[in-house]
Amino acid sequence: SRAAYNQPEKTREDDSHLKVELRYAPLPLIGAIAVHYWFVVTDDAGACHRWEVWQTQNAGGTSYGHVHCDLKAPADGVGGGPSRIAAVWTGEQAARIAAVLAKPGSYPHARRYRYWPGPNSNSFVAWVLDRAGIQYALHWRGRGRRWRK
């Protein structure tokens, strides 16, 4: 349920149509206790890109180790159920998130992945939000969200 997740702070809208969605989906078999988070960035031209960390390096799309762009379609789940939107940012906050995602090689754990305790997909999302200066608490089912925080 959406009420289980907090809302991003409101920002001043500008002329940009840049939008960043934070999406999540339950993991196969353990979805009741664990979810996978990722970002979907829609730019001013309407191009839409999905950014996430995947357990396999170079699994498809454009990859930087475990960091992938467009490995899956933006709204695709990960095998445990449909995806949902946790948060949406526009304006300056979306631009800050997109700027961090534009430098995937700067993620310090791009070549390392561990389901538990991390780094994993949720560690990556928490790192991006932190680097962008966005305060947003991932749900407790986002295992790995506090890895090395």
Coordinates of all heavy atoms in Angstrom, one line a residue, residues 52-147:
E52 N 19.1 0.6 -12.2 CA 19.1 -0.2 -11.1 C 20.4 -1.0 -11.0 O 21.2 -1.1 -11.9 CB 17.9 -1.2 -11.2 CG 18.1 -2.2 -12.4 CD 16.7 -2.8 -12.7 OE1 16.0 -3.3 -11.9 OE2 16.4 -2.8 -14.0
V53 N 20.5 -1.7 -9.8 CA 21.6 -2.6 -9.7 C 21.0 -4.0 -9.8 O 19.9 -4.3 -9.2 CB 22.3 -2.4 -8.3 CG1 23.1 -3.7 -7.9 CG2 23.3 -1.3 -8.4
W54 N 21.6 -4.9 -10.5 CA 21.1 -6.3 -10.7 C 22.2 -7.2 -10.2 O 23.4 -6.9 -10.2 CB 20.9 -6.5 -12.2 CG 20.0 -7.6 -12.5 CD1 20.4 -8.8 -13.1 CD2 18.6 -7.7 -12.4 NE1 19.3 -9.6 -13.2 CE2 18.2 -9.0 -12.8 CE3 17.6 -6.8 -11.9 CZ2 16.9 -9.4 -12.7 CZ3 16.3 -7.2 -11.8 CH2 15.9 -8.5 -12.3
Q55 N 21.8 -8.4 -9.8 CA 22.7 -9.3 -9.2 C 23.7 -9.9 -10.1 O 24.8 -10.3 -9.7 CB 21.9 -10.5 -8.5 CG 21.2 -11.4 -9.5 CD 19.7 -11.0 -9.7 OE1 19.3 -9.9 -9.4 NE2 18.9 -11.9 -10.1
T56 N 23.5 -9.8 -11.4 CA 24.5 -10.3 -12.4 C 25.1 -9.1 -13.1 O 24.4 -8.2 -13.6 CB 23.8 -11.2 -13.4 OG1 23.1 -12.2 -12.8 CG2 24.8 -11.8 -14.4
Q57 N 26.4 -9.1 -13.2 CA 27.1 -8.0 -14.0 C 26.8 -8.2 -15.5 O 26.7 -9.3 -16.0 CB 28.6 -8.0 -13.8 CG 29.0 -7.7 -12.4 CD 30.5 -7.5 -12.3 OE1 31.1 -6.7 -13.0 NE2 31.2 -8.3 -11.4
N58 N 26.7 -7.0 -16.2 CA 26.6 -7.0 -17.6 C 25.5 -7.9 -18.1 O 25.6 -8.7 -19.1 CB 27.9 -7.4 -18.3 CG 29.1 -6.6 -17.7 OD1 29.0 -5.4 -17.6 ND2 30.2 -7.2 -17.4
A59 N 24.3 -7.9 -17.4 CA 23.2 -8.7 -17.8 C 22.4 -8.3 -19.0 O 21.6 -9.0 -19.5 CB 22.3 -8.9 -16.5
G60 N 22.6 -7.0 -19.4 CA 21.8 -6.5 -20.6 C 21.6 -5.0 -20.5 O 22.1 -4.4 -19.5
G61 N 21.0 -4.5 -21.5 CA 20.9 -3.0 -21.5 C 22.3 -2.4 -21.6 O 23.2 -3.0 -22.1
T62 N 22.5 -1.3 -21.0 CA 23.8 -0.7 -20.9 C 24.2 -1.0 -19.4 O 23.5 -0.6 -18.5 CB 23.8 0.8 -21.1 OG1 23.2 1.0 -22.5 CG2 25.1 1.4 -21.0
S63 N 25.4 -1.5 -19.2 CA 25.8 -1.9 -17.9 C 27.1 -1.4 -17.5 O 28.0 -1.2 -18.4 CB 25.7 -3.4 -17.6 OG 26.6 -4.0 -18.5
Y64 N 27.3 -1.1 -16.2 CA 28.5 -0.7 -15.6 C 28.7 -1.6 -14.4 O 28.4 -1.3 -13.3 CB 28.4 0.8 -15.2 CG 27.9 1.7 -16.3 CD1 26.6 1.9 -16.5 CD2 28.8 2.4 -17.1 CE1 26.1 2.7 -17.5 CE2 28.4 3.2 -18.1 CZ 27.0 3.3 -18.3 OH 26.6 4.1 -19.4
G65 N 29.2 -2.8 -14.7 CA 29.3 -3.8 -13.6 C 27.8 -4.3 -13.3 O 27.1 -4.7 -14.2
H66 N 27.5 -4.1 -12.0 CA 26.1 -4.5 -11.6 C 25.1 -3.3 -11.9 O 23.9 -3.6 -11.7 CB 26.1 -4.8 -10.1 CG 26.8 -6.1 -9.8 ND1 26.2 -7.3 -10.0 CD2 28.0 -6.4 -9.4 CE1 27.0 -8.3 -9.7 NE2 28.2 -7.7 -9.3
V67 N 25.5 -2.1 -12.2 CA 24.6 -1.0 -12.4 C 24.2 -1.1 -13.9 O 25.0 -1.2 -14.8 CB 25.3 0.3 -12.2 CG1 24.3 1.5 -12.5 CG2 25.8 0.5 -10.8
H68 N 22.8 -1.1 -14.1 CA 22.3 -1.3 -15.4 C 21.3 -0.2 -15.7 O 20.5 0.3 -14.9 CB 21.5 -2.6 -15.5 CG 22.4 -3.8 -15.4 ND1 22.9 -4.3 -14.3 CD2 22.9 -4.6 -16.4 CE1 23.6 -5.4 -14.5 NE2 23.6 -5.6 -15.8
C69 N 21.3 0.2 -17.0 CA 20.3 1.1 -17.6 C 19.6 0.3 -18.6 O 20.1 -0.2 -19.6 CB 21.0 2.3 -18.2 SG 19.9 3.5 -18.9
D70 N 18.3 0.3 -18.4 CA 17.3 -0.3 -19.4 C 17.5 -1.9 -19.5 O 17.3 -2.4 -20.6 CB 17.4 0.3 -20.8 CG 17.0 1.8 -20.7 OD1 16.2 2.1 -19.8 OD2 17.5 2.6 -21.5
L71 N 17.9 -2.5 -18.4 CA 17.9 -4.0 -18.4 C 16.5 -4.5 -18.6 O 16.3 -5.5 -19.3 CB 18.5 -4.5 -17.1 CG 18.4 -6.0 -16.8 CD1 19.3 -6.7 -17.8 CD2 18.9 -6.3 -15.4
K72 N 15.5 -3.9 -18.0 CA 14.1 -4.3 -18.1 C 13.3 -3.0 -18.5 O 13.8 -1.9 -18.4 CB 13.7 -4.9 -16.8 CG 14.4 -6.1 -16.4 CD 14.0 -6.6 -15.0 CE 12.6 -7.3 -15.0 NZ 12.4 -8.5 -15.7
A73 N 12.1 -3.3 -18.9 CA 11.2 -2.1 -19.2 C 10.9 -1.4 -17.9 O 10.9 -1.9 -16.8 CB 9.9 -2.6 -19.8
P74 N 10.6 -0.1 -18.0 CA 10.5 0.8 -16.8 C 9.5 0.2 -15.7 O 9.9 0.3 -14.6 CB 10.0 2.1 -17.4 CG 10.6 2.1 -18.8 CD 10.5 0.7 -19.2
A75 N 8.4 -0.3 -16.1 CA 7.4 -0.8 -15.1 C 7.4 -2.3 -14.9 O 6.6 -2.7 -14.0 CB 6.0 -0.3 -15.6
D76 N 8.3 -3.0 -15.5 CA 8.4 -4.5 -15.3 C 8.7 -4.8 -13.8 O 9.6 -4.1 -13.3 CB 9.4 -5.1 -16.2 CG 9.0 -5.3 -17.6 OD1 7.8 -5.0 -17.9 OD2 9.8 -5.8 -18.4
G77 N 8.1 -5.8 -13.3 CA 8.5 -6.3 -12.0 C 9.7 -7.1 -12.1 O 10.4 -7.2 -13.2
V78 N 10.1 -7.8 -11.0 CA 11.3 -8.6 -11.0 C 11.0 -10.1 -10.7 O 11.8 -10.8 -10.3 CB 12.3 -8.1 -10.0 CG1 12.9 -6.7 -10.5 CG2 11.8 -7.9 -8.6
G79 N 9.7 -10.5 -11.0 CA 9.4 -11.9 -10.9 C 8.6 -12.2 -9.7 O 8.1 -13.4 -9.6
G80 N 8.3 -11.3 -8.7 CA 7.6 -11.6 -7.5 C 6.2 -10.9 -7.5 O 5.5 -11.0 -6.5
G81 N 5.9 -10.2 -8.5 CA 4.7 -9.4 -8.6 C 4.9 -8.1 -9.3 O 6.0 -7.8 -9.7
P82 N 3.8 -7.3 -9.5 CA 3.9 -6.1 -10.3 C 4.7 -5.0 -9.6 O 4.8 -5.0 -8.3 CB 2.4 -5.7 -10.5 CG 1.7 -6.3 -9.4 CD 2.4 -7.6 -9.1
S83 N 5.2 -4.1 -10.3 CA 5.9 -2.9 -9.7 C 4.9 -1.9 -9.3 O 3.7 -1.8 -9.7 CB 6.9 -2.3 -10.7 OG 6.2 -1.6 -11.7
R84 N 5.3 -1.0 -8.4 CA 4.5 0.1 -7.9 C 5.4 1.3 -7.8 O 6.6 1.2 -7.6 CB 3.9 -0.3 -6.5 CG 2.9 -1.4 -6.5 CD 2.2 -1.5 -5.2 NE 1.0 -2.3 -5.3 CZ 1.0 -3.6 -5.1 NH1 2.1 -4.2 -4.7 NH2 -0.2 -4.2 -5.2
I85 N 4.8 2.5 -7.8 CA 5.5 3.7 -7.6 C 5.5 4.1 -6.2 O 4.5 4.1 -5.5 CB 4.9 4.8 -8.4 CG1 4.9 4.5 -9.9 CG2 5.6 6.2 -8.1 CD1 4.1 5.5 -10.8
A86 N 6.8 4.3 -5.7 CA 7.0 4.7 -4.3 C 7.0 6.2 -4.1 O 6.5 6.7 -3.1 CB 8.2 4.1 -3.7
A87 N 7.6 6.9 -5.1 CA 7.7 8.3 -5.0 C 8.0 8.9 -6.4 O 8.5 8.1 -7.3 CB 8.9 8.7 -4.1
V88 N 7.7 10.1 -6.6 CA 7.9 10.8 -7.9 C 8.5 12.2 -7.6 O 8.0 12.9 -6.7 CB 6.6 11.0 -8.7 CG1 6.9 11.8 -10.0 CG2 6.0 9.7 -9.0
W89 N 9.6 12.5 -8.2 CA 10.3 13.8 -8.1 C 10.3 14.5 -9.4 O 10.4 13.9 -10.5 CB 11.7 13.7 -7.6 CG 11.8 13.2 -6.2 CD1 11.8 13.9 -5.1 CD2 12.0 11.8 -5.8 NE1 11.9 13.1 -4.0 CE2 12.1 11.8 -4.4 CE3 12.2 10.6 -6.4 CZ2 12.3 10.7 -3.6 CZ3 12.4 9.5 -5.7 CH2 12.4 9.5 -4.3
T90 N 10.1 15.8 -9.4 CA 10.2 16.7 -10.6 C 11.0 17.8 -10.3 O 11.5 18.0 -9.1 CB 8.8 17.1 -11.0 OG1 8.2 17.9 -9.9 CG2 7.8 16.0 -11.4
G91 N 11.2 18.7 -11.3 CA 12.0 19.9 -11.0 C 13.4 19.7 -10.6 O 14.1 18.8 -11.0
E92 N 13.8 20.5 -9.6 CA 15.2 20.5 -9.2 C 15.6 19.2 -8.5 O 16.7 18.7 -8.7 CB 15.4 21.7 -8.2 CG 16.8 22.0 -7.8 CD 17.1 21.5 -6.4 OE1 16.2 21.5 -5.6 OE2 18.3 21.1 -6.2
Q93 N 14.7 18.6 -7.7 CA 15.1 17.3 -7.1 C 15.3 16.2 -8.1 O 16.2 15.4 -8.0 CB 14.0 16.9 -6.1 CG 14.0 17.8 -4.8 CD 13.0 17.2 -3.8 OE1 11.9 16.8 -4.2 NE2 13.4 17.2 -2.6
A94 N 14.4 16.2 -9.2 CA 14.6 15.2 -10.2 C 15.9 15.5 -11.0 O 16.6 14.5 -11.3 CB 13.4 15.3 -11.2
A95 N 16.3 16.7 -11.2 CA 17.5 17.0 -11.8 C 18.7 16.5 -11.0 O 19.7 16.0 -11.6 CB 17.6 18.5 -12.1
R96 N 18.7 16.7 -9.7 CA 19.8 16.2 -8.9 C 19.9 14.7 -8.9 O 21.0 14.2 -9.0 CB 19.6 16.7 -7.4 CG 19.7 18.2 -7.3 CD 19.9 18.7 -5.9 NE 19.2 18.0 -4.8 CZ 18.2 18.5 -4.1 NH1 17.8 19.7 -4.3 NH2 17.7 17.7 -3.1
I97 N 18.8 14.0 -8.9 CA 18.9 12.5 -9.0 C 19.4 12.1 -10.4 O 20.3 11.3 -10.4 CB 17.5 11.9 -8.7 CG1 17.0 12.2 -7.3 CG2 17.5 10.4 -9.0 CD1 15.6 11.8 -7.0
A98 N 18.9 12.7 -11.4 CA 19.3 12.4 -12.8 C 20.8 12.7 -12.9 O 21.5 11.9 -13.6 CB 18.5 13.2 -13.8
A99 N 21.3 13.7 -12.3 CA 22.7 14.1 -12.4 C 23.6 13.0 -11.8 O 24.7 12.6 -12.3 CB 23.0 15.4 -11.8
V100 N 23.2 12.4 -10.7 CA 23.9 11.3 -10.0 C 23.8 10.1 -10.9 O 24.9 9.4 -11.2 CB 23.4 11.0 -8.6 CG1 24.1 9.8 -8.0 CG2 23.5 12.2 -7.7
L101 N 22.7 9.8 -11.5 CA 22.5 8.6 -12.3 C 23.3 8.7 -13.6 O 23.7 7.7 -14.2 CB 21.0 8.3 -12.6 CG 20.2 7.9 -11.4 CD1 18.7 7.9 -11.8 CD2 20.6 6.5 -10.9
A102 N 23.5 9.9 -14.1 CA 24.3 10.2 -15.3 C 25.8 9.8 -15.2 O 26.5 9.7 -16.2 CB 24.2 11.6 -15.7
K103 N 26.2 9.5 -13.9 CA 27.6 9.1 -13.7 C 27.6 7.8 -13.0 O 28.1 7.7 -11.9 CB 28.3 10.2 -12.8 CG 28.4 11.6 -13.5 CD 29.0 12.6 -12.6 CE 28.9 14.0 -13.2 NZ 29.3 15.0 -12.2
P104 N 27.2 6.7 -13.7 CA 27.1 5.4 -13.0 C 28.4 4.8 -12.6 O 28.5 4.1 -11.6 CB 26.4 4.5 -14.1 CG 26.7 5.2 -15.4 CD 26.7 6.7 -15.1
G105 N 29.5 5.3 -13.2 CA 30.8 4.8 -12.8 C 31.3 5.3 -11.5 O 32.2 4.8 -10.9
S106 N 30.6 6.3 -11.0 CA 30.9 6.9 -9.7 C 30.4 6.0 -8.5 O 30.8 6.3 -7.3 CB 30.5 8.3 -9.5 OG 29.1 8.4 -9.5
Y107 N 29.5 5.1 -8.8 CA 28.9 4.2 -7.7 C 30.1 3.3 -7.2 O 30.6 2.5 -8.0 CB 27.7 3.4 -8.2 CG 27.2 2.5 -7.2 CD1 26.8 3.0 -5.9 CD2 27.0 1.2 -7.4 CE1 26.2 2.2 -4.9 CE2 26.5 0.3 -6.4 CZ 26.1 0.8 -5.2 OH 25.6 0.0 -4.2
P108 N 30.5 3.5 -6.0 CA 31.7 2.7 -5.5 C 31.6 1.2 -5.5 O 32.6 0.5 -5.4 CB 31.9 3.3 -4.1 CG 30.6 3.9 -3.7 CD 29.9 4.3 -4.9
H109 N 30.4 0.7 -5.5 CA 30.2 -0.8 -5.4 C 29.6 -1.4 -6.7 O 29.0 -2.4 -6.7 CB 29.2 -1.1 -4.3 CG 29.6 -0.4 -3.0 ND1 30.8 -0.7 -2.4 CD2 29.1 0.6 -2.3 CE1 30.9 0.1 -1.3 NE2 29.9 0.9 -1.3
A110 N 29.9 -0.7 -7.9 CA 29.4 -1.2 -9.1 C 29.9 -2.6 -9.5 O 29.2 -3.3 -10.2 CB 29.8 -0.2 -10.3
R111 N 30.9 -3.1 -9.0 CA 31.5 -4.4 -9.3 C 31.3 -5.4 -8.2 O 31.8 -6.5 -8.2 CB 33.0 -4.3 -9.6 CG 33.3 -3.3 -10.7 CD 33.6 -4.0 -12.0 NE 33.8 -3.0 -13.1 CZ 33.1 -3.1 -14.2 NH1 32.2 -4.0 -14.4 NH2 33.3 -2.2 -15.1
R112 N 30.5 -5.0 -7.2 CA 30.2 -5.9 -6.0 C 28.7 -6.0 -5.8 O 28.0 -5.0 -5.8 CB 30.9 -5.3 -4.8 CG 30.9 -6.2 -3.6 CD 31.8 -5.7 -2.5 NE 31.7 -6.5 -1.4 CZ 31.8 -6.1 -0.2 NH1 31.9 -4.9 0.1 NH2 31.7 -7.0 0.8
Y113 N 28.3 -7.2 -5.5 CA 26.8 -7.4 -5.2 C 26.7 -8.6 -4.1 O 27.4 -9.6 -4.3 CB 26.1 -7.8 -6.4 CG 24.6 -8.0 -6.2 CD1 23.7 -6.9 -6.4 CD2 24.1 -9.2 -5.7 CE1 22.4 -7.0 -6.1 CE2 22.7 -9.3 -5.4 CZ 21.9 -8.2 -5.6 OH 20.5 -8.3 -5.3
R114 N 25.9 -8.3 -3.1 CA 25.5 -9.3 -2.1 C 24.1 -9.1 -1.8 O 23.7 -8.0 -1.5 CB 26.4 -9.2 -0.9 CG 27.8 -9.6 -1.1 CD 28.6 -9.8 0.2 NE 28.5 -8.5 1.0 CZ 29.0 -8.4 2.2 NH1 29.6 -9.4 2.8 NH2 28.8 -7.3 2.9
Y115 N 23.3 -10.2 -1.8 CA 21.9 -10.1 -1.4 C 21.8 -9.5 0.0 O 20.9 -8.7 0.2 CB 21.2 -11.5 -1.5 CG 21.1 -12.1 -2.8 CD1 22.0 -13.1 -3.3 CD2 20.2 -11.6 -3.7 CE1 21.9 -13.6 -4.5 CE2 20.1 -12.1 -5.0 CZ 20.9 -13.2 -5.4 OH 20.8 -13.7 -6.6
W116 N 22.6 -10.0 0.9 CA 22.5 -9.6 2.3 C 23.9 -9.5 2.8 O 24.7 -10.4 2.6 CB 21.7 -10.5 3.1 CG 21.6 -10.1 4.5 CD1 22.3 -10.6 5.6 CD2 20.8 -9.0 5.1 NE1 22.0 -10.0 6.7 CE2 21.1 -9.0 6.5 CE3 19.9 -8.1 4.6 CZ2 20.5 -8.1 7.3 CZ3 19.4 -7.2 5.4 CH2 19.7 -7.2 6.8
P117 N 24.3 -8.5 3.5 CA 23.5 -7.3 3.9 C 23.6 -6.2 2.8 O 23.0 -5.1 3.0 CB 24.2 -6.8 5.2 CG 25.7 -7.2 5.0 CD 25.6 -8.5 4.2
G118 N 24.3 -6.4 1.8 CA 24.5 -5.4 0.7 C 26.0 -5.5 0.3 O 26.8 -6.2 0.9
P119 N 26.4 -4.7 -0.7 CA 25.6 -3.8 -1.5 C 24.7 -4.5 -2.5 O 25.0 -5.5 -3.0 CB 26.6 -3.0 -2.2 CG 27.8 -3.9 -2.4 CD 27.8 -4.7 -1.1
N120 N 23.5 -3.9 -2.7 CA 22.5 -4.5 -3.6 C 21.7 -3.4 -4.2 O 22.1 -2.2 -4.2 CB 21.6 -5.6 -2.9 CG 20.8 -5.0 -1.7 OD1 20.5 -3.8 -1.7 ND2 20.5 -5.8 -0.8
S121 N 20.6 -3.7 -4.9 CA 19.8 -2.7 -5.6 C 19.3 -1.6 -4.6 O 19.3 -0.4 -5.0 CB 18.6 -3.4 -6.2 OG 17.7 -4.0 -5.2
N122 N 19.0 -2.0 -3.4 CA 18.5 -1.0 -2.5 C 19.6 -0.1 -1.9 O 19.4 1.1 -1.6 CB 17.7 -1.7 -1.4 CG 16.5 -2.5 -2.0 OD1 15.9 -2.1 -2.9 ND2 16.3 -3.7 -1.4
S123 N 20.8 -0.7 -1.8 CA 21.9 0.1 -1.3 C 22.2 1.1 -2.4 O 22.6 2.3 -2.1 CB 23.2 -0.8 -1.2 OG 22.9 -1.9 -0.4
F124 N 22.1 0.8 -3.7 CA 22.3 1.7 -4.8 C 21.3 2.8 -4.7 O 21.7 4.0 -4.8 CB 22.3 1.0 -6.1 CG 22.3 1.8 -7.3 CD1 23.5 2.5 -7.7 CD2 21.2 2.0 -8.1 CE1 23.5 3.3 -8.8 CE2 21.2 2.8 -9.2 CZ 22.4 3.5 -9.6
V125 N 20.1 2.5 -4.6 CA 19.0 3.6 -4.5 C 19.3 4.5 -3.4 O 19.2 5.7 -3.5 CB 17.6 3.0 -4.5 CG1 16.6 4.0 -4.1 CG2 17.3 2.3 -5.8
A126 N 19.6 4.0 -2.2 CA 19.9 4.8 -1.0 C 21.1 5.7 -1.3 O 21.1 6.9 -0.9 CB 20.1 3.9 0.2
W127 N 22.1 5.2 -1.9 CA 23.3 5.9 -2.3 C 23.0 7.1 -3.2 O 23.5 8.2 -3.0 CB 24.4 5.0 -2.9 CG 25.7 5.7 -3.3 CD1 26.7 5.9 -2.5 CD2 26.0 6.2 -4.6 NE1 27.7 6.6 -3.2 CE2 27.3 6.7 -4.5 CE3 25.3 6.2 -5.8 CZ2 27.9 7.3 -5.6 CZ3 25.9 6.8 -6.9 CH2 27.2 7.3 -6.8
V128 N 22.2 6.8 -4.3 CA 21.9 7.8 -5.2 C 21.1 9.0 -4.5 O 21.4 10.1 -4.7 CB 21.0 7.3 -6.4 CG1 20.4 8.4 -7.2 CG2 21.9 6.3 -7.3
L129 N 20.1 8.6 -3.7 CA 19.3 9.6 -3.0 C 20.2 10.4 -2.1 O 20.1 11.7 -2.0 CB 18.2 9.0 -2.2 CG 17.1 8.3 -3.1 CD1 16.1 7.6 -2.2 CD2 16.3 9.4 -3.9
D130 N 21.1 9.8 -1.4 CA 22.0 10.5 -0.5 C 22.9 11.5 -1.3 O 23.1 12.6 -0.9 CB 22.9 9.5 0.3 CG 23.8 10.1 1.3 OD1 23.3 10.8 2.2 OD2 25.0 10.0 1.1
R131 N 23.5 11.0 -2.4 CA 24.4 11.8 -3.2 C 23.6 13.0 -3.8 O 24.1 14.1 -4.0 CB 25.0 11.0 -4.3 CG 26.0 10.0 -3.9 CD 27.3 10.6 -3.5 NE 28.0 11.2 -4.5 CZ 29.2 10.9 -5.0 NH1 29.8 9.9 -4.5 NH2 29.7 11.6 -6.0
A132 N 22.3 12.8 -4.1 CA 21.5 13.9 -4.6 C 20.9 14.8 -3.6 O 20.3 15.8 -3.9 CB 20.3 13.3 -5.4
G133 N 21.2 14.5 -2.3 CA 20.7 15.3 -1.2 C 19.2 15.2 -1.0 O 18.5 16.1 -0.5
I134 N 18.6 14.1 -1.3 CA 17.2 13.8 -1.2 C 17.0 13.0 0.1 O 17.6 11.9 0.2 CB 16.6 13.0 -2.4 CG1 16.9 13.7 -3.7 CG2 15.1 12.8 -2.2 CD1 16.3 15.1 -3.9
Q135 N 16.2 13.5 1.0 CA 15.8 12.7 2.2 C 14.6 11.9 1.9 O 13.5 12.5 1.8 CB 15.7 13.6 3.4 CG 17.0 14.2 3.8 CD 16.8 15.0 5.1 OE1 15.8 14.9 5.8 NE2 17.9 15.6 5.5
Y136 N 14.7 10.6 1.8 CA 13.6 9.7 1.6 C 14.0 8.4 2.3 O 15.0 7.8 2.0 CB 13.4 9.5 0.1 CG 12.2 8.6 -0.2 CD1 10.9 9.2 -0.3 CD2 12.3 7.3 -0.4 CE1 9.8 8.4 -0.5 CE2 11.2 6.5 -0.6 CZ 10.0 7.0 -0.7 OH 8.9 6.2 -0.9
A137 N 13.1 7.9 3.1 CA 13.3 6.6 3.8 C 12.7 5.5 3.0 O 11.5 5.4 2.9 CB 12.8 6.7 5.2
L138 N 13.6 4.5 2.6 CA 13.1 3.3 1.9 C 12.4 2.5 2.9 O 12.8 2.4 4.1 CB 14.3 2.6 1.3 CG 15.0 3.3 0.2 CD1 16.2 2.5 -0.3 CD2 14.1 3.8 -0.9
H139 N 11.4 1.7 2.5 CA 10.6 0.8 3.3 C 11.5 -0.2 4.0 O 12.6 -0.6 3.4 CB 9.5 0.2 2.5 CG 8.5 -0.5 3.3 ND1 8.6 -1.9 3.6 CD2 7.3 -0.1 3.9 CE1 7.6 -2.2 4.3 NE2 6.8 -1.2 4.5
W140 N 11.2 -0.8 5.1 CA 12.0 -1.8 5.8 C 12.2 -3.0 4.9 O 13.2 -3.7 5.1 CB 11.4 -2.2 7.1 CG 10.1 -2.9 7.1 CD1 8.8 -2.3 7.2 CD2 9.8 -4.3 6.9 NE1 7.8 -3.3 7.1 CE2 8.4 -4.5 6.9 CE3 10.7 -5.4 6.7 CZ2 7.9 -5.8 6.7 CZ3 10.1 -6.7 6.5 CH2 8.7 -6.8 6.6
R141 N 11.3 -3.3 4.0 CA 11.5 -4.4 3.1 C 12.6 -4.2 2.0 O 13.0 -5.1 1.3 CB 10.2 -4.8 2.4 CG 9.2 -5.3 3.3 CD 7.9 -5.9 2.6 NE 7.3 -4.9 1.8 CZ 6.5 -5.2 0.7 NH1 6.2 -6.4 0.4 NH2 6.0 -4.2 0.0
G142 N 13.1 -3.0 2.0 CA 14.2 -2.6 1.1 C 15.5 -3.1 1.7 O 16.3 -2.3 2.1
R143 N 15.7 -4.4 1.8 CA 16.9 -5.0 2.4 C 18.1 -4.4 1.8 O 18.2 -4.3 0.6 CB 16.9 -6.5 2.3 CG 15.6 -7.2 2.8 CD 15.5 -7.0 4.3 NE 14.3 -7.7 4.8 CZ 13.9 -7.7 6.0 NH1 14.7 -7.2 7.0 NH2 12.8 -8.3 6.4
G144 N 19.1 -4.0 2.6 CA 20.3 -3.5 2.1 C 20.3 -1.9 2.0 O 21.3 -1.3 1.7
R145 N 19.2 -1.3 2.3 CA 19.1 0.1 2.2 C 20.0 0.9 3.2 O 20.4 2.0 2.9 CB 17.6 0.6 2.5 CG 17.2 0.4 4.0 CD 15.7 0.5 4.2 NE 15.3 0.3 5.6 CZ 15.3 -0.8 6.2 NH1 15.6 -2.0 5.6 NH2 15.0 -0.9 7.5
R146 N 20.4 0.3 4.3 CA 21.3 0.9 5.2 C 22.7 0.4 5.2 O 23.5 0.7 6.0 CB 20.7 0.7 6.6 CG 19.4 1.4 6.9 CD 19.0 1.3 8.3 NE 17.7 1.9 8.5 CZ 16.8 1.4 9.4 NH1 17.2 0.4 10.2 NH2 15.7 2.0 9.5
W147 N 23.0 -0.3 4.1 CA 24.4 -0.9 4.0 C 25.4 0.2 4.0 O 25.3 1.2 3.2 CB 24.5 -1.8 2.8 CG 25.7 -2.5 2.8 CD1 26.0 -3.7 3.5 CD2 26.9 -2.3 2.0 NE1 27.3 -4.1 3.2 CE2 27.9 -3.3 2.3 CE3 27.3 -1.3 1.2 CZ2 29.1 -3.3 1.8 CZ3 28.6 -1.3 0.6 CH2 29.5 -2.3 0.9

